[in-house]
Amino acid sequence: MPPERLTDWSRPASPGGRPRVAIIGGGVAGLAAGCYAQMSGMDTLILEKHVLPGGYCTAWARKGYLFDYCVDWLSGTGESGDAAQVWRELGALDGKEIAHFEMFNRVMDETGRAVTFYNDPDRLERHLLELSPGDAAPIRRLCRYLRGFADAHPYPILTPPPLKSPREKLSTALATLPLLPLFYRTATTQMAEFAERFEDPLLRRALPNIILQDPVGFPVLPYLYGMARAHNGNAGFPEGGSLGLVRSVEERYTALGGQLACRARVDRILVEHDRAVGVQLKDGTRILADHVVSACDGNTTINGLLGGRYRSPRIDRLYRKMLHDSDNLFPAAVSTYFGIDGPVETDDPHSTTYLLRPEEGARLFGGLQHTMVVQLFNHYWEGFAPPGKSVVRCTYFSDYEAWKKLRTHDRREYWSTKRRVADFQRGFLDRLYPGTAERIEVTDIATPVTAHRYTGNHNGTIFAWKPFSPADDEVTKLINRDRMRLPGLAGFSMTGQWVGMGGLIRAATTGRFTAQFLCDEFGLPFRPSLSDGGGGRWHRARLGHLPQLDTQALRQLNSRSAGEAENSDSGGSHAT
């Protein structure tokens, strides 16, 4: 965005003009809020601190490879349902092919014994019974639950509860009433507890890893809900991956007249007489608006940009108590990418979780579990690698503080630790696919510290608050009771995962909710519209400029000489 256009926002709006809304953060939630506000007659400006929009939903280029950071599957890729409607309104999937997989994930133990979690409940039941006939009773119950979700209509998500009419509330209640027994049984039974009903040791350990890694504390419901959506073709992988999704929504936003400023770091929210009137950027630029929306990290918003001045018992419980209990936050992760010269010759599926021996798990620094996910990214989309080449990603849940302490106090050891993690994973891949290690052309690692530096997300968490945790009820009330506002502060609201829980569709939905609440405040009709898909067939060039970020950091990680790494300075990079 040209600087002179940013200057336009440094002056008060003309009386009687369109309401002006400044949005802090250009992730999926911020972009969605901007799109829906523009559709409904507002002028918006999104301020994003990074070099491109997307937040966690991003990718970056390394020597011709594209390393995707976010999407493993996307809810709402089908033709029907509220989630699909949201993506069609945002233009997120315009012109794109969707990759669908017959299985959600495979889990393999240390001996090479594996279980495949097919999305088709009939096929899954046959497979599990072949693996463990003695577990027939819990297997049939699991698959009966899965059939129930496969036959169910998704929960309506288009309108926030406070704005639903009595008729809409009744319609929602009638639609969900038949599902209540299924929801109750699967929402009140922890997956770890359900897994203990199985005699087979592999199944007991594998079930909590259906959704790639064990999020700990999740009930049965989200596992089966995701599998059912995938079975119905409503949870696939979109062409272009994470950055492709963001670029499409960005195109939709700018086509609607929205303005986006990158490299625009907000320093504080301007407040006059307990009303937000704009923001001030790090460089001193003041942006004035009728309403300010924060679509960035919740703790940064409340305790940083607003200086902790606007609180309530609920906000205090969330940000003074629950925020510091790791059980309430979705974990952070370490993601290592390998760009490989040539194909990976295998019949393995797109995703496998490996259950590691303790001595192997100990080599994954900061690891929270002795597991590692290996994803063959060419199965998702061929555009992630140059022709004839491949991308493999290895991921594991990891502790933020361990990496933060290392990077803060001993930068050389930080780099050495990353190298050791990558060396272990390189060797692991070479055992899986002999000859792979010598064909690796580029290696890149994003740690929890990387995630925090580039997104601002507290402790590098992937999805902010953990669903089904004690924080869940409190966060739900931020929408249902507080309308995504803070007590005592007018002209301000929050959106994104810190008020709507995790997942990209939830982030997009909170953006929609934000616009609906704004329309209610400004007396405007909410006017969502479907994208006309005018861009035609999607192609890789529409990813636009791909950030290379710090190539010096890349050289450090890929250097085979520890001395060379120690004698280099580690600059800012997505690999740092």
Side-chain angles (χ1 to χ4, degrees):
M1 177 179 176
E4 61 271 17
R5 297 293 303 278
L6 204 58
T7 305
D8 293 343
W9 284 74
S10 65
R11 296 184 290 269
S14 302
R18 288 161 58 104
R20 296 203 307 188
V21 180
I23 301 171
I24 307 169
V28 169
L31 286 168
C35 284
Y36 286 113
Q38 290 290 146
M39 293 178 203
S40 302
M42 300 172 229
D43 288 332
T44 64
L45 169 63
I46 295 176
L47 301 161
E48 168 57 46
K49 70 173 186 176
H50 196 16
V51 298
L52 77 171
Y56 241 101
C57 191
T58 194
W60 60 97
R62 293 298 198 198
K63 296 185 177 180
Y65 295 94
L66 186 64
F67 293 156
D68 193 276
Y69 193 51
C70 178
V71 179
D72 295 306
W73 68 89
L74 184 70
S75 295
T77 56
E79 297 296 326
S80 62
D82 286 3
Q85 179 175 329
V86 170
W87 294 131
R88 289 199 303 275
E89 291 169 347
L90 296 176
L93 306 179
D94 286 355
K96 296 178 181 177
E97 294 183 355
I98 306 297
H100 295 287
F101 301 108
E102 63 181 6
M103 41 79 69
F104 211 83
N105 190 32
R106 182 182 69 166
V107 180
M108 181 176 290
D109 70 10
E110 304 90 335
T111 69
R113 189 164 175 256
V115 54
T116 301
F117 290 103
Y118 295 105
N119 298 316
D120 183 333
D122 295 334
R123 187 175 183 185
L124 177 64
E125 185 171 308
R126 290 193 300 270
H127 174 61
L128 296 181
L129 287 173
E130 289 174 0
L131 280 175
S132 182
D135 284 316
I139 287 171
R140 291 197 171 100
R141 174 168 293 185
L142 179 76
C143 295
R144 184 168 66 250
Y145 290 158
L146 179 56
R147 291 186 187 94
F149 281 109
D151 294 337
H153 294 290
Y155 187 81
I157 57 172
L158 293 179
T159 305
L163 296 183
K164 285 185 177 180
S165 66
R167 185 172 182 175
E168 287 175 312
K169 292 178 181 178
L170 177 61
S171 177
T172 299
L174 292 175
T176 56
L177 187 61
L179 301 174
L180 288 181
L182 177 64
F183 283 171
Y184 178 79
R185 294 189 189 102
T186 56
T188 57
T189 303
Q190 296 285 306
M191 178 55 89
E193 173 193 331
F194 186 80
E196 287 301 315
R197 302 177 188 179
F198 289 77
E199 296 178 1
D200 187 284
L202 172 61
L203 295 185
R204 281 203 305 272
R205 299 171 64 197
L207 283 165
N209 291 284
I210 289 176
I211 48 179
L212 308 192
Q213 294 180 82
D214 181 5
V216 181
F218 269 29
V220 174
L221 188 154
Y223 295 87
L224 300 187
Y225 188 84
M227 293 175 72
R229 299 283 71 75
H231 177 56
N232 292 333
N234 215 4
F237 188 87
E239 188 176 9
S242 303
L243 188 55
L245 182 87
V246 167
R247 289 300 198 194
S248 292
V249 180
E250 179 190 6
E251 286 181 16
R252 173 72 164 144
Y253 173 65
T254 55
L256 287 165
Q259 299 178 55
L260 169 68
C262 291
R263 301 181 187 270
R265 182 186 290 268
V266 174
D267 185 56
R268 63 189 180 99
I269 295 170
L270 302 175
V271 177
E272 295 179 1
H273 308 297
D274 292 325
R275 181 175 189 87
V277 296
V279 302
Q280 181 170 305
L281 304 187
K282 205 76 172 177
D283 64 5
T285 302
R286 292 165 65 91
I287 305 295
L288 302 181
D290 299 300
H291 195 97
V292 175
V293 175
S294 176
C296 65
D297 177 68
N299 187 52
T300 298
T301 299
I302 290 167
N303 293 317
L305 302 181
L306 287 168
R309 296 190 301 277
Y310 297 95
R311 318 187 69 91
S312 68
R314 181 172 300 118
I315 294 298
D316 283 344
R317 282 193 293 273
L318 285 168
Y319 289 97
R320 288 187 174 178
K321 182 179 179 182
M322 293 182 173
L323 186 71
H324 306 292
D325 184 346
S326 60
D327 290 340
N328 290 312
L329 294 179
F330 209 90
V334 172
S335 292
T336 307
Y337 300 84
F338 297 98
I340 300 168
D341 184 15
V344 177
E345 301 288 356
T346 179
D347 294 327
D348 285 353
H350 65 290
S351 173
T352 301
T353 299
Y354 291 92
L355 307 177
L356 306 177
R357 296 182 176 87
E359 60 271 21
E360 291 180 314
R363 298 185 65 181
L364 298 177
F365 180 80
L368 301 179
Q369 303 159 12
H370 291 164
T371 62
M372 183 173 71
V373 181
V374 175
Q375 293 168 291
L376 308 178
F377 263 49
N378 287 47
H379 288 21
Y380 294 83
W381 178 49
E382 62 182 13
F384 285 129
K389 301 189 179 188
S390 309
V391 172
V392 176
R393 181 174 77 172
C394 298
T395 309
Y396 66 93
F397 282 157
S398 181
D399 175 58
Y400 169 81
E401 291 296 339
W403 286 100
K404 177 65 175 178
K405 181 178 179 181
L406 203 58
R407 190 178 187 277
T408 301
H409 299 292
D410 194 340
R411 190 70 61 86
R412 291 182 178 181
E413 182 58 24
Y414 175 78
W415 278 102
S416 297
T417 301
K418 290 178 68 172
R419 187 191 304 279
R420 287 193 293 271
V421 169
D423 285 345
F424 165 73
Q425 293 170 326
R426 183 183 293 107
F428 191 90
L429 291 179
D430 203 54
R431 293 197 301 273
L432 292 177
Y433 315 117
T436 296
E438 63 188 23
R439 294 189 290 118
I440 292 175
E441 295 185 318
V442 59
T443 302
D444 207 6
I445 298 182
T447 73
V449 178
T450 311
H452 177 260
R453 290 179 62 226
Y454 279 88
T455 69
N457 247 19
H458 182 76
N459 284 6
T461 173
I462 298 172
F463 289 143
W465 302 112
K466 183 187 289 185
F468 309 102
S469 70
D472 195 335
D473 288 341
E474 296 292 341
V475 174
T476 300
K477 293 172 186 174
L478 289 175
I479 295 177
N480 294 349
R481 296 185 184 178
D482 301 341
R483 294 189 170 210
M484 305 160 83
R485 309 294 174 91
L486 293 179
L489 180 62
F492 173 81
S493 55
M494 294 175 64
T495 194
Q497 295 180 341
W498 291 98
V499 293
M501 310 302 288
L504 288 177
I505 188 57
R506 297 294 294 270
T509 300
T510 63
R512 197 179 199 273
F513 287 1
T514 297
Q516 288 171 287
F517 285 131
L518 286 174
C519 285
D520 188 56
E521 175 181 328
F522 291 131
L524 298 172
F526 179 61
R527 292 176 174 168
S529 60
L530 299 180
S531 168
D532 62 9
R537 179 77 177 86
W538 193 87
H539 49 85
R540 194 179 191 275
R542 290 174 69 175
L543 289 174
H545 173 69
L546 299 176
Q548 302 292 322
L549 304 175
D550 184 25
T551 55
Q552 182 183 28
L554 182 67
R555 288 196 299 271
Q556 287 180 318
L557 184 61
N558 286 273
S559 169
R560 302 308 301 164
S561 165
E564 180 182 336
E566 292 180 355
N567 290 328
S568 300
D569 177 50
S570 57
S573 163
H574 222 317
T576 345

